[in-house]
Amino acid sequence: MNDAMKHLRKLFENSYAGKDVLQNIEQTIAELEIYLAANPDDEIAQVQYRQFLGKRKDFFQVLTNDYDEDSDSEMHA
């Protein structure tokens, strides 16, 4: 697992931090979408937008992996 995923997993373990991280990612994506609507040629903003979409995807992957691990342990019990 890469360092970013480890970091996200640690943040998610603390539920308040996990909610804050997701909220910050979603807010940044929304702000970038508004900005890019007015400035579609800004290549740096486009790169940042793709990066934050990737962060959101990674965050949800961490959630899915946590759920899958919990489901497996419950099935063995």
Side-chain angles (χ1 to χ4, degrees):
M1 184 181 328
N2 65 29
D3 290 336
M5 294 294 285
K6 287 180 185 178
H7 178 70
L8 285 174
R9 184 178 292 270
K10 281 184 182 180
L11 289 175
F12 179 71
E13 288 173 359
N14 179 349
S15 63
Y16 292 111
K19 290 177 186 175
D20 288 344
V21 169
L22 181 59
Q23 187 175 32
N24 288 338
I25 291 170
E26 294 287 350
Q27 181 178 356
T28 303
I29 289 171
E31 291 171 1
L32 284 166
E33 287 173 344
I34 292 168
Y35 178 81
L36 285 169
N39 303 286
D41 296 332
D42 187 335
E43 293 179 18
I44 293 173
Q46 291 173 6
V47 169
Q48 290 176 326
Y49 179 70
R50 287 190 300 271
Q51 287 173 337
F52 274 90
L53 290 177
K55 285 182 182 185
R56 180 173 64 184
K57 180 181 173 187
D58 291 345
F59 188 84
F60 284 123
Q61 185 177 5
V62 169
L63 293 177
T64 303
N65 288 343
D66 284 344
Y67 177 76
D68 289 344
E69 289 172 9
D70 291 342
S71 297
D72 289 343
S73 64
E74 289 175 3
M75 289 175 60
H76 292 302

